Amino acid sequence: MKRIDRVRIVLLAAAVVATGCNDNAKDGTRAESSAPQRSQPVTRIETMTLPAGLHVVAALETRLNSGSNHTGDPFVATTTEAIVVNGKTVAPAGTKILGNLRDVKASGRVNGRGAMTLTYDEIVDSAGKSHPMSAQPLTLQAASETHSDVEKIAAGGVLGAVIGGIAGGGKGAAIGAGAGAGAGTVLMLATKGADIELDPGQKLYIHLLGATTIPVVAQR
C-alpha cells in the first residue's frame, strides 16, 4: 500500500473518532437539559394583625434615668415570649419594640422627684422592617417612700402591669388612678436619689390601644 493511502486511512479514522466524541457530548448535553429542574420553594407572605387590647411583656434593653435622659431619647425593648394570635405566631420571642421618652423631668423640677413617660412607637418584623404601633404610654413619677400607693420594682416584676389593671378595671387600678398623679401614672420608688432609673432587663407591660398589622411568613 502506498504511503499516501496509509495517511488517508489514518486521517479518516481520526475524523470518525472525533465525530463520535462530538455526538456523545451532544447527547450528554441533551440528557442534562432534559433532566427535570427542581423548582425553588416560593415564600408566601401574609398579613396578620395584633388586635387592640392585646398585652405584651417586653424586657428593656436600654438603661433609662430621669436625671440623665432627655425627652425624645430612644429606647429598645424585646418581647419575652412569642406573640400568638388565633394559634399562629405573629412575632417570635425577642421581637424588638422601639420607643421614645416623653416629658422627662429630672429631680428638683417636679416636687423634687423625677418623672418620665415611655411611649411605644414601632414593632420590628422578622425582616427588620418596623411598623407603627399604638400602645398605652407608661408614665413614671418618683414618689416618697412614705407614700402608700407606690409600685416597688422587684426582681422579675413587670413594671406597668397596674396600667393594664386600670385599662381592665382589675387589681391594682387604684395605684395609678387614685394616687393623685393622674390616670395612667405609676408612682414608684426612685432607685437613684430622687430620680427614676430603669435597668436593662426590666420587664414592661405593653397594652395595645389599636390594631397593628405585621407581614409574616405564611404558616400552615
Side-chain angles (χ1 to χ4, degrees):
M1 183 181 292
K2 294 182 180 181
R3 182 177 179 181
I4 295 176
D5 292 335
R6 288 199 297 271
V7 172
R8 288 177 178 173
I9 292 173
V10 172
L11 293 175
L12 179 60
V16 171
V17 172
T19 301
C21 291
N22 289 336
D23 290 341
N24 289 336
K26 291 178 180 179
D27 290 342
T29 302
R30 285 195 295 268
E32 290 178 2
S33 62
S34 61
Q37 298 294 321
R38 294 183 179 179
S39 59
Q40 296 296 326
V42 178
T43 301
R44 189 167 62 88
I45 303 297
E46 63 178 333
T47 299
M48 300 192 70
T49 301
L50 301 178
L54 183 73
H55 72 268
V56 176
V57 175
L60 191 65
E61 287 191 356
T62 312
R63 177 173 282 103
L64 301 176
N65 187 299
S66 60
S68 56
N69 280 112
H70 302 86
T71 296
D73 283 353
F75 67 85
V76 178
T78 56
T79 58
T80 58
E81 296 180 353
I83 303 175
V84 180
V85 177
N86 296 328
K88 293 185 176 182
T89 299
V90 182
T95 294
K96 291 185 180 297
I97 293 178
L98 311 180
N100 285 276
L101 293 181
R102 191 179 68 194
D103 301 328
V104 179
K105 298 178 177 65
S107 61
R109 297 179 59 185
V110 183
N111 297 323
R113 316 299 291 180
M116 59 183 174
T117 296
L118 282 64
T119 62
Y120 310 104
D121 305 314
E122 296 177 308
I123 185 169
V124 181
D125 64 24
S126 57
K129 184 177 180 180
S130 59
H131 305 273
M133 63 182 294
S134 174
Q136 171 71 53
L138 174 61
T139 297
L140 304 174
Q141 181 173 321
S144 66
E145 295 185 12
T146 59
H147 202 295
S148 59
D149 293 326
V150 173
E151 179 175 7
K152 296 182 180 180
I153 302 178
V158 182
L159 181 61
V162 292
I163 298 299
I166 295 170
K171 182 180 179 181
I175 294 179
T185 299
V186 175
L187 294 181
M188 55 178 286
L189 294 178
T191 52
K192 283 277 183 98
D195 283 308
I196 298 171
E197 181 172 284
L198 303 182
D199 292 323
Q202 173 63 55
K203 293 180 180 179
L204 304 171
Y205 181 100
I206 302 173
H207 180 87
L208 269 63
L209 297 178
T212 299
T213 56
I214 303 177
V216 299
V217 176
Q219 303 166 46
R220 294 181 178 179

mmCIF file of all heavy atoms in Angstrom, residues 80-106:
data_model
loop_
_atom_site.group_PDB
_atom_site.id
_atom_site.type_symbol
_atom_site.label_atom_id
_atom_site.label_comp_id
_atom_site.label_asym_id
_atom_site.label_seq_id
_atom_site.Cartn_x
_atom_site.Cartn_y
_atom_site.Cartn_z
ATOM 1 N N THR A 80 -40.583 39.008 75.599
ATOM 2 C CA THR A 80 -40.062 37.873 76.359
ATOM 3 C C THR A 80 -40.668 36.552 75.893
ATOM 4 O O THR A 80 -40.116 35.485 76.164
ATOM 5 C CB THR A 80 -40.345 38.057 77.855
ATOM 6 O OG1 THR A 80 -41.768 38.207 78.051
ATOM 7 C CG2 THR A 80 -39.642 39.304 78.381
ATOM 8 N N GLU A 81 -41.786 36.626 75.197
ATOM 9 C CA GLU A 81 -42.441 35.429 74.673
ATOM 10 C C GLU A 81 -42.970 35.724 73.273
ATOM 11 O O GLU A 81 -43.141 36.882 72.889
ATOM 12 C CB GLU A 81 -43.610 35.003 75.578
ATOM 13 C CG GLU A 81 -43.201 34.589 76.979
ATOM 14 C CD GLU A 81 -44.399 34.178 77.829
ATOM 15 O OE1 GLU A 81 -45.554 34.353 77.355
ATOM 16 O OE2 GLU A 81 -44.191 33.678 78.940
ATOM 17 N N ALA A 82 -43.205 34.655 72.520
ATOM 18 C CA ALA A 82 -43.786 34.820 71.186
ATOM 19 C C ALA A 82 -45.190 35.411 71.305
ATOM 20 O O ALA A 82 -45.924 35.110 72.248
ATOM 21 C CB ALA A 82 -43.840 33.481 70.465
ATOM 22 N N ILE A 83 -45.555 36.256 70.345
ATOM 23 C CA ILE A 83 -46.901 36.830 70.310
ATOM 24 C C ILE A 83 -47.739 35.937 69.398
ATOM 25 O O ILE A 83 -47.463 35.820 68.197
ATOM 26 C CB ILE A 83 -46.882 38.267 69.780
ATOM 27 C CG1 ILE A 83 -45.955 39.152 70.633
ATOM 28 C CG2 ILE A 83 -48.295 38.848 69.764
ATOM 29 C CD1 ILE A 83 -45.787 40.556 70.102
ATOM 30 N N VAL A 84 -48.728 35.287 69.956
ATOM 31 C CA VAL A 84 -49.550 34.322 69.218
ATOM 32 C C VAL A 84 -50.987 34.832 69.144
ATOM 33 O O VAL A 84 -51.570 35.227 70.156
ATOM 34 C CB VAL A 84 -49.517 32.939 69.894
ATOM 35 C CG1 VAL A 84 -50.390 31.945 69.119
ATOM 36 C CG2 VAL A 84 -48.080 32.431 69.987
ATOM 37 N N VAL A 85 -51.526 34.842 67.931
ATOM 38 C CA VAL A 85 -52.910 35.270 67.707
ATOM 39 C C VAL A 85 -53.638 34.174 66.940
ATOM 40 O O VAL A 85 -53.176 33.748 65.875
ATOM 41 C CB VAL A 85 -52.973 36.597 66.919
ATOM 42 C CG1 VAL A 85 -54.424 36.990 66.643
ATOM 43 C CG2 VAL A 85 -52.260 37.705 67.680
ATOM 44 N N ASN A 86 -54.722 33.690 67.492
ATOM 45 C CA ASN A 86 -55.514 32.628 66.859
ATOM 46 C C ASN A 86 -54.666 31.410 66.517
ATOM 47 O O ASN A 86 -54.807 30.810 65.443
ATOM 48 C CB ASN A 86 -56.211 33.154 65.599
ATOM 49 C CG ASN A 86 -57.225 34.239 65.903
ATOM 50 O OD1 ASN A 86 -57.860 34.233 66.961
ATOM 51 N ND2 ASN A 86 -57.381 35.196 64.989
ATOM 52 N N GLY A 87 -53.765 31.078 67.412
ATOM 53 C CA GLY A 87 -52.960 29.884 67.223
ATOM 54 C C GLY A 87 -51.766 30.050 66.294
ATOM 55 O O GLY A 87 -51.023 29.098 66.075
ATOM 56 N N LYS A 88 -51.575 31.251 65.755
ATOM 57 C CA LYS A 88 -50.464 31.498 64.846
ATOM 58 C C LYS A 88 -49.489 32.493 65.460
ATOM 59 O O LYS A 88 -49.894 33.476 66.082
ATOM 60 C CB LYS A 88 -50.969 32.035 63.504
ATOM 61 C CG LYS A 88 -51.778 31.020 62.709
ATOM 62 C CD LYS A 88 -52.137 31.565 61.330
ATOM 63 C CE LYS A 88 -52.870 30.520 60.501
ATOM 64 N NZ LYS A 88 -53.188 31.033 59.125
ATOM 65 N N THR A 89 -48.198 32.239 65.264
ATOM 66 C CA THR A 89 -47.170 33.136 65.796
ATOM 67 C C THR A 89 -47.020 34.352 64.888
ATOM 68 O O THR A 89 -46.628 34.225 63.731
ATOM 69 C CB THR A 89 -45.820 32.408 65.902
ATOM 70 O OG1 THR A 89 -45.951 31.292 66.791
ATOM 71 C CG2 THR A 89 -44.741 33.347 66.431
ATOM 72 N N VAL A 90 -47.364 35.507 65.428
ATOM 73 C CA VAL A 90 -47.238 36.756 64.671
ATOM 74 C C VAL A 90 -45.841 37.333 64.832
ATOM 75 O O VAL A 90 -45.275 37.909 63.902
ATOM 76 C CB VAL A 90 -48.299 37.779 65.130
ATOM 77 C CG1 VAL A 90 -48.197 39.061 64.306
ATOM 78 C CG2 VAL A 90 -49.698 37.179 65.010
ATOM 79 N N ALA A 91 -45.275 37.188 66.005
ATOM 80 C CA ALA A 91 -43.930 37.700 66.272
ATOM 81 C C ALA A 91 -43.252 36.766 67.266
ATOM 82 O O ALA A 91 -43.830 36.439 68.300
ATOM 83 C CB ALA A 91 -43.990 39.124 66.820
ATOM 84 N N PRO A 92 -42.032 36.316 66.970
ATOM 85 C CA PRO A 92 -41.342 35.400 67.884
ATOM 86 C C PRO A 92 -40.829 36.114 69.121
ATOM 87 O O PRO A 92 -40.768 37.353 69.173
ATOM 88 C CB PRO A 92 -40.181 34.882 67.020
ATOM 89 C CG PRO A 92 -39.892 36.022 66.095
ATOM 90 C CD PRO A 92 -41.230 36.630 65.779
ATOM 91 N N ALA A 93 -40.444 35.357 70.128
ATOM 92 C CA ALA A 93 -39.801 35.937 71.302
ATOM 93 C C ALA A 93 -38.531 36.649 70.848
ATOM 94 O O ALA A 93 -37.825 36.173 69.964
ATOM 95 C CB ALA A 93 -39.467 34.846 72.315
ATOM 96 N N GLY A 94 -38.251 37.783 71.449
ATOM 97 C CA GLY A 94 -37.076 38.556 71.033
ATOM 98 C C GLY A 94 -37.388 39.616 69.995
ATOM 99 O O GLY A 94 -36.492 40.324 69.541
ATOM 100 N N THR A 95 -38.663 39.747 69.626
ATOM 101 C CA THR A 95 -39.054 40.795 68.674
ATOM 102 C C THR A 95 -38.820 42.170 69.299
ATOM 103 O O THR A 95 -39.186 42.408 70.452
ATOM 104 C CB THR A 95 -40.539 40.643 68.297
ATOM 105 O OG1 THR A 95 -40.707 39.412 67.575
ATOM 106 C CG2 THR A 95 -41.010 41.811 67.432
ATOM 107 N N LYS A 96 -38.217 43.058 68.535
ATOM 108 C CA LYS A 96 -37.880 44.379 69.066
ATOM 109 C C LYS A 96 -39.077 45.330 69.023
ATOM 110 O O LYS A 96 -39.829 45.357 68.048
ATOM 111 C CB LYS A 96 -36.714 44.991 68.285
ATOM 112 C CG LYS A 96 -35.385 44.285 68.505
ATOM 113 C CD LYS A 96 -34.257 45.014 67.814
ATOM 114 C CE LYS A 96 -32.927 44.305 68.046
ATOM 115 N NZ LYS A 96 -32.546 44.277 69.467
ATOM 116 N N ILE A 97 -39.217 46.095 70.097
ATOM 117 C CA ILE A 97 -40.199 47.173 70.171
ATOM 118 C C ILE A 97 -39.419 48.461 70.410
ATOM 119 O O ILE A 97 -38.595 48.533 71.330
ATOM 120 C CB ILE A 97 -41.218 46.920 71.290
ATOM 121 C CG1 ILE A 97 -42.085 45.703 70.929
ATOM 122 C CG2 ILE A 97 -42.081 48.159 71.529
ATOM 123 C CD1 ILE A 97 -43.092 45.321 71.982
ATOM 124 N N LEU A 98 -39.655 49.446 69.560
ATOM 125 C CA LEU A 98 -38.917 50.702 69.631
ATOM 126 C C LEU A 98 -39.788 51.786 70.246
ATOM 127 O O LEU A 98 -40.980 51.895 69.946
ATOM 128 C CB LEU A 98 -38.477 51.133 68.225
ATOM 129 C CG LEU A 98 -37.780 50.065 67.363
ATOM 130 C CD1 LEU A 98 -37.416 50.638 66.000
ATOM 131 C CD2 LEU A 98 -36.556 49.514 68.064
ATOM 132 N N GLY A 99 -39.183 52.577 71.119
ATOM 133 C CA GLY A 99 -39.943 53.636 71.764
ATOM 134 C C GLY A 99 -39.121 54.892 71.962
ATOM 135 O O GLY A 99 -37.931 54.945 71.632
ATOM 136 N N ASN A 100 -39.774 55.914 72.513
ATOM 137 C CA ASN A 100 -39.124 57.190 72.821
ATOM 138 C C ASN A 100 -39.598 57.684 74.180
ATOM 139 O O ASN A 100 -40.697 57.347 74.631
ATOM 140 C CB ASN A 100 -39.447 58.241 71.751
ATOM 141 C CG ASN A 100 -38.681 58.019 70.461
ATOM 142 O OD1 ASN A 100 -37.539 58.436 70.341
ATOM 143 N ND2 ASN A 100 -39.311 57.350 69.497
ATOM 144 N N LEU A 101 -38.755 58.488 74.802
ATOM 145 C CA LEU A 101 -39.128 59.088 76.078
ATOM 146 C C LEU A 101 -39.842 60.412 75.846
ATOM 147 O O LEU A 101 -39.528 61.146 74.907
ATOM 148 C CB LEU A 101 -37.885 59.327 76.934
ATOM 149 C CG LEU A 101 -37.148 58.088 77.437
ATOM 150 C CD1 LEU A 101 -35.950 58.498 78.281
ATOM 151 C CD2 LEU A 101 -38.084 57.181 78.233
ATOM 152 N N ARG A 102 -40.772 60.707 76.714
ATOM 153 C CA ARG A 102 -41.540 61.947 76.629
ATOM 154 C C ARG A 102 -41.627 62.552 78.026
ATOM 155 O O ARG A 102 -41.660 61.834 79.023
ATOM 156 C CB ARG A 102 -42.951 61.630 76.081
ATOM 157 C CG ARG A 102 -43.766 62.836 75.696
ATOM 158 C CD ARG A 102 -45.109 62.376 75.145
ATOM 159 N NE ARG A 102 -45.944 61.767 76.194
ATOM 160 C CZ ARG A 102 -47.034 61.046 75.945
ATOM 161 N NH1 ARG A 102 -47.412 60.815 74.711
ATOM 162 N NH2 ARG A 102 -47.741 60.556 76.948
ATOM 163 N N ASP A 103 -41.676 63.873 78.080
ATOM 164 C CA ASP A 103 -41.877 64.587 79.351
ATOM 165 C C ASP A 103 -40.893 64.145 80.434
ATOM 166 O O ASP A 103 -41.281 63.863 81.573
ATOM 167 C CB ASP A 103 -43.317 64.372 79.856
ATOM 168 C CG ASP A 103 -44.351 64.855 78.861
ATOM 169 O OD1 ASP A 103 -44.064 65.834 78.146
ATOM 170 O OD2 ASP A 103 -45.438 64.244 78.774
ATOM 171 N N VAL A 104 -39.616 64.085 80.052
ATOM 172 C CA VAL A 104 -38.597 63.704 81.031
ATOM 173 C C VAL A 104 -38.290 64.892 81.937
ATOM 174 O O VAL A 104 -37.998 65.993 81.459
ATOM 175 C CB VAL A 104 -37.303 63.230 80.334
ATOM 176 C CG1 VAL A 104 -36.242 62.866 81.370
ATOM 177 C CG2 VAL A 104 -37.594 62.040 79.433
ATOM 178 N N LYS A 105 -38.373 64.666 83.229
ATOM 179 C CA LYS A 105 -38.100 65.740 84.202
ATOM 180 C C LYS A 105 -37.178 65.194 85.282
ATOM 181 O O LYS A 105 -37.486 64.184 85.914
ATOM 182 C CB LYS A 105 -39.402 66.256 84.823
ATOM 183 C CG LYS A 105 -40.360 66.863 83.805
ATOM 184 C CD LYS A 105 -41.640 67.313 84.467
ATOM 185 C CE LYS A 105 -42.583 67.977 83.475
ATOM 186 N NZ LYS A 105 -43.065 67.023 82.432
ATOM 187 N N ALA A 106 -36.051 65.850 85.436
ATOM 188 C CA ALA A 106 -35.111 65.427 86.474
ATOM 189 C C ALA A 106 -35.624 65.820 87.848
ATOM 190 O O ALA A 106 -36.527 66.651 87.985
ATOM 191 C CB ALA A 106 -33.739 66.068 86.215
#
